[in-house]
Amino acid sequence: MNYNTLRHHLKTIEGLPEGIMEPGNRRTFSLDEIHEIQARLYEAGKITPEMFPGKLEGEHTSKLLIYNLKGGVSKTSTAANLSQFLAVRGFKVLVVDLDPQASCSDLFDIQADLDGLPSIYDVLRYEEEGDGELRVPITDAIQATYFPNIDIIPGSIALTEFEYETASAAAQGVPFYSRISEALSLVEDAYDVVIFDTPPHMSFCVIAALYASNSMLIPLSAGMLDVVSLVKFLDLASSTLRSIEEVDPNKRFDFIRILLTRYSPSDPAQLGLASFLRNTLGTSMLNMDFLASTAIADAGNTMNPLLEVDPSSFTRKTYDRILESLHGIAMEIEEEVMISRGRIADKNEVS
């Protein structure tokens, strides 16, 4: 929607936020105001269902697993930045931090260990094991972040205890596969997208998240060693999925995509590797890559996702390049979500 159309709607539809008039006859809106305008325009029939991010009646929540056992492939950076770009678009996002290091939680300034907040461990823990403390309702563990449309269930170092407890509980016949999905079932209807940030190792917690998710994004660094490890990872992931299918034969994923990360197209070796991957994996690869960028490195040093760094800290070309990269990734994931909802056709199936 262009500005002239928006200005017309602001004049003709009563009660829309008016924003703030800035010097130069420019009107600015907060993100909350933009989302309110978005919802009101949809209700008024000015936005088509294909463009409206909110779930409609009968549509399910997209539960996206950011998954790779390789460390240093930008899983957390992908989860944090993707959640913000989707939230800006109007999706209500719940981030679930399954990494004991809780770096994704740190990026949103939620530190369960330091602040005495309940974490995902307190939701999943076994009352039959450990110190006898009761599990925490998932509603008590969800924390609102400072970023509109994003809530988070923080991670904590206590997640390492979940692994030991699960091994003991499994020996007594207590199931663990459905632990995350059962907890989420109480709140997921309030969200359009749930994003799981996972640790760089296989764990009971990751397997439970794999069971709970219905879509998957696999970050892959643009290096030959990472590609070789991808083969091993896919083999392990497929065997894990087979064991999950034994528990739930109807288990299906809306989409599984691979995202090339830390990619420098000016590097001939990486350029050749990217070409090889796309020729081999085809539509399993996202079209947009997560580019290597000083802006991302600096954002990580200041504990901020990209949308929160000052663009003036970088050359305009550097900032625009990574902004376009992350925006493109988010738009592709949004398209996959809309396909899974049945609002748009899958171009790959049509062709």
Side-chain angles (χ1 to χ4, degrees), residues 286-319:
L286 288 187
N287 294 317
M288 189 63 73
D289 305 312
F290 192 162
L291 300 181
S293 173
T294 56
I296 289 294
D298 288 356
N301 291 334
T302 58
M303 298 295 290
N304 287 309
L306 181 73
L307 289 179
E308 296 176 57
V309 302
D310 183 357
S312 65
S313 303
F314 314 97
T315 64
R316 185 60 183 260
K317 185 176 181 181
T318 295
Y319 185 82

Side-chain angles (χ1 to χ4, degrees), residues 149-160:
N149 269 7
I150 298 180
D151 291 340
I152 189 169
I153 304 178
S156 76
I157 194 66
L159 271 170
T160 56

Side-chain angles (χ1 to χ4, degrees), residues 19-32:
I20 299 174
M21 185 62 72
E22 303 283 358
N25 199 31
R26 297 182 61 182
R27 192 178 297 274
T28 60
F29 300 87
S30 70
L31 198 50
D32 285 326

Side-chain angles (χ1 to χ4, degrees), residues 2 34 44 52 54 57 65 74 76 79 81 88 93 101 108 158 162-163 250 257 264 273 311 313 315 334:
N2 61 44
I34 290 173
F52 182 64
E57 186 176 352
L65 185 70
S74 301
T76 296
N81 283 287
V88 167
V93 180
Q101 297 180 77
F108 286 104
F162 178 74
E163 301 305 308
N250 297 318
R257 296 291 181 268
S264 298
L273 184 61
S313 303
T315 64
E334 177 177 338

Side-chain angles (χ1 to χ4, degrees), residues 19-91:
I20 299 174
M21 185 62 72
E22 303 283 358
N25 199 31
R26 297 182 61 182
R27 192 178 297 274
T28 60
F29 300 87
S30 70
L31 198 50
D32 285 326
E33 288 176 327
I34 290 173
H35 294 154
E36 182 180 347
I37 292 171
Q38 190 179 45
R40 292 286 303 281
L41 291 181
Y42 175 73
E43 292 169 1
K46 306 300 182 182
I47 294 178
T48 63
E50 293 80 6
M51 297 296 295
F52 182 64
K55 287 188 303 184
L56 305 181
E57 186 176 352
E59 294 179 340
H60 65 258
T61 300
S62 292
K63 290 168 283 189
L64 177 65
L65 185 70
I66 311 292
Y67 185 38
N68 193 332
L69 301 183
K70 182 79 172 177
V73 297
S74 301
K75 286 193 296 293
T76 296
S77 186
T78 298
N81 283 287
L82 178 59
S83 66
Q84 286 199 350
F85 274 81
L86 290 177
V88 167
R89 290 284 294 168
F91 290 89

Side-chain angles (χ1 to χ4, degrees), residues 201-223:
H201 56 262
M202 180 60 77
S203 66
F204 291 118
C205 197
V206 170
I207 294 172
L210 192 60
Y211 182 88
S213 59
N214 54 28
S215 53
M216 189 189 306
L217 184 62
I218 304 171
L220 172 66
S221 287

